């Protein structure tokens, strides 16, 4: 039955396209982002995020830092993000340095003997870590 | 590239084909944006969701279990990222969509008077429809945004994304659209009163 609800849905489609189109510069940014693809690195996937659905139920809420865990077969990275610019983390097994990438900007951060690192030099937007272990490079998922 | 199916584009992009990647972005940008905006996220937050979602795909494009369902993967990722921003409780102010809707008249000289008048009337109608849409409950806005996205997700994909039964999508859509029609009628009445 071709009802007027179908027509309403179509009208809504047109209204949405006019009222709220995807900003062109975002589309261009997503196309450019392909250049940051790392072909020869291992991906440390996000295996825990305190903001994910399953984790939130167990957390009390409030102003706690966001806690994340990334993992490959032989490397674990834990991150704690508080406020908008503060990050502390630990990588196991320890390495000398991690590189924090935000867009085209990459900041090296030293790691101590226990694998700990910290920075207050973050900007708004997605970030990920590059970690060199021996001959290989590991990148974390973007968060 | 335009004619290639999504699964082929994913495989090509995974092999380093930049134009396949660009085609993927162009094809699914509307969907990703729709999902972010359906959560009532303001401009800066919606942009962050959009960017994070596409960045995430750059690393996962060669790892997708079902390359032809990349649309569903993107929509689900965008949804999770949107919910994280809401849970973090630090969303930026939602933009006023009515302000964004500045549908100026077409000033082209060849446009005849009657056409212009008709177009202006159409614009007002669309503004009112959009205003009505903003008043829908979150769940309805979220579902309709995905249904009107181009390309739209299949009911199977929507079912997996929202964790609802396939059989309930049709009825929910109907209920949401009828509610939209009521709100739209109200907007029209308000509009007439203002005029």
């Amino acid at each position: 039955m071709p009802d007027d609800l179908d027509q309403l849905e179509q009208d809504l489609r047109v209204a949405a396209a006019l009222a709220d189109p995807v900003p062109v510069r975002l589309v261009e940014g997503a196309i450019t982002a392909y250049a940051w693809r790392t072909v020869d690195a291992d991906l440390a996937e996000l295996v825990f995020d305190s903001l994910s659905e399953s984790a939130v139920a167990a957390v009390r809420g409030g102003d706690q830092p966001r806690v994340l865990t990334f993992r490959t077969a032989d490397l674990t990275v834990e991150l704690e993000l508080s406020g908008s610019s503060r990050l502390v983390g630990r990588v196991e097994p320890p390495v000398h340095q991690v590189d924090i990438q935000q867009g085209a900007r990459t900041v090296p951060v030293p790691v101590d003997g226990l694998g700990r690192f910290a920075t207050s030099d973050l900007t708004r937007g997605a970030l990920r870590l590059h970690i060199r272990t021996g001959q290989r490079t590991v990148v974390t998922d973007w968060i | 590239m335009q004619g290639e199916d999504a699964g082929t584009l994913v495989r090509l992009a995974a092999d380093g084909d930049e134009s396949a990647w660009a085609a993927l972005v162009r094809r699914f940008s509307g969907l990703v944006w729709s999902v972010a905006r359906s959560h009532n996220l303001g401009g800066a937050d919606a942009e962050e969701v959009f960017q994070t979602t596409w960045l995430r795909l750059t690393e996962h494009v060669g790892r997708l279990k079902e390359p032809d369902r990349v649309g569903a993967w993107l929509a689900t990722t965008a949804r999770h990222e949107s919910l994280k921003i809401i849970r973090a409780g630090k969303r930026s102010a939602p933009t006023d969509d009515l302000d964004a809707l500045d549908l100026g008249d077409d000033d082209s000289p060849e446009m005849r008077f009657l056409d212009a008048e008709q177009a202006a009337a159409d614009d007002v109608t669309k503004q009112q429809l959009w205003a009505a849409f903003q008043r829908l409950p979150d769940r309805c806005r979220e579902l309709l945004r995905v249904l009107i996205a181009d390309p739209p997700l299949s009911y199977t994909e929507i079912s997996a994304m929202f964790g609802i039964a396939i059989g309930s999508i049709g009825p929910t859509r109907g209920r949401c659209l009828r509610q939209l029609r009521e709100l739209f009628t109200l907007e029209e009445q308000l509009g007439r009163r203002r005029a």
Side-chain angles (χ1 to χ4, degrees):
Chain A
M1 174 176 81
D3 54 23
D4 54 349
L5 288 186
D6 289 340
Q7 185 55 50
L8 183 63
E9 189 179 48
Q10 179 53 31
D11 291 346
L12 182 62
R13 187 171 287 127
V14 175
L18 283 168
D20 193 22
V22 194
V24 173
R25 88 197 133 73
L26 286 190
V27 176
E28 283 163 1
I31 290 174
T32 314
Y34 186 70
W36 297 328
R37 199 169 68 108
T38 48
V39 198
D40 49 357
D42 292 336
L43 181 66
E45 292 198 48
L46 183 60
V47 294
F48 176 81
D49 185 340
S50 60
L51 287 181
S52 75
E53 208 163 1
S54 46
V56 155
V59 178
R60 293 180 307 280
D63 254 352
Q64 286 144 333
R66 180 181 180 188
V67 182
L68 307 111
T69 307
F70 303 89
R71 201 166 278 151
T72 67
D74 38 33
L75 184 133
T76 303
V77 186
E78 284 164 349
L79 294 185
E80 210 177 283
L81 285 157
S82 33
S84 53
S85 62
R86 173 85 183 149
L87 176 152
V88 297
R90 200 172 72 87
V91 52
E92 173 64 41
V95 293
H96 294 299
Q97 175 184 313
V98 297
D99 295 297
I100 298 172
Q101 181 186 3
Q102 292 195 283
R105 174 178 181 260
T106 300
V107 179
V109 178
V111 178
D112 74 10
L114 298 172
R116 297 174 302 190
F117 52 91
T119 179
S120 297
D121 187 19
L122 298 181
T123 57
R124 190 180 171 119
L127 68 85
R128 70 168 168 183
L129 269 60
H130 296 244
I131 302 149
R132 282 199 58 81
T133 66
Q135 297 307 305
R136 300 199 59 80
T137 298
V138 171
V139 293
T140 67
D141 262 327
W142 285 95
I143 53 156
Chain B
M1 281 302 162
Q2 247 80 38
E4 300 286 358
D5 65 80
T8 306
L9 291 178
V10 166
R11 286 180 203 98
L12 288 170
D15 282 342
D17 187 328
E18 282 177 43
S19 57
W21 173 262
L24 271 179
V25 173
R26 291 205 181 88
R27 187 171 304 177
F28 291 104
S29 275
L31 176 64
V32 173
W33 184 246
S34 287
V35 172
R37 298 289 277 164
S38 73
H39 290 83
N40 232 6
L41 295 181
D45 287 334
E47 287 186 15
E48 202 167 307
V49 167
F50 185 92
Q51 286 163 344
T52 305
T53 301
W54 284 106
L55 284 169
R56 196 71 65 78
L57 185 64
T58 62
E59 295 301 335
H60 283 266
V61 71
R63 297 178 167 90
L64 298 184
K65 290 191 189 82
E66 297 175 283
D68 2 322
R69 295 181 66 177
V70 63
W73 188 95
L74 285 164
T76 304
T77 303
R79 178 164 195 260
H80 287 158
E81 291 303 312
S82 301
L83 293 174
K84 283 179 188 180
I85 285 183
I86 291 166
R87 290 191 195 108
K90 49 175 189 193
R91 17 193 325 192
S92 55
T95 49
D96 186 352
D97 287 291
L98 290 174
D99 285 346
L101 187 70
D102 184 16
L103 308 166
D105 293 330
D106 187 340
D107 290 331
S108 64
E110 62 267 33
M111 187 153 213
R112 290 199 308 269
F113 176 74
L114 282 179
D115 282 350
E117 195 151 74
Q118 183 58 49
D122 283 354
D123 286 353
V124 170
T125 305
K126 287 189 190 87
Q127 283 182 31
Q128 289 169 341
L129 181 57
W130 194 242
F133 178 70
Q134 303 308 318
R135 300 209 160 81
L136 281 173
D138 291 356
R139 198 68 173 164
C140 280
R141 267 204 326 272
E142 224 183 314
L143 177 66
L144 290 180
R145 270 286 198 161
V146 173
L147 286 168
I148 64 170
D150 180 26
L153 291 183
S154 69
Y155 276 22
T156 313
E157 290 170 330
I158 291 171
S159 155
M161 181 177 158
F162 293 118
I164 54 176
I166 291 185
S168 75
I169 296 173
T172 307
R173 168 188 175 272
R175 193 165 42 74
C176 291
L177 283 172
R178 278 191 293 276
Q179 201 172 343
L180 174 63
R181 191 166 55 195
E182 283 167 27
L183 289 165
F184 179 41
T185 309
L186 280 175
E187 282 293 331
E188 283 182 316
Q189 286 167 357
L190 279 172
R192 271 198 294 277
R193 210 172 298 163
R194 276 196 292 261

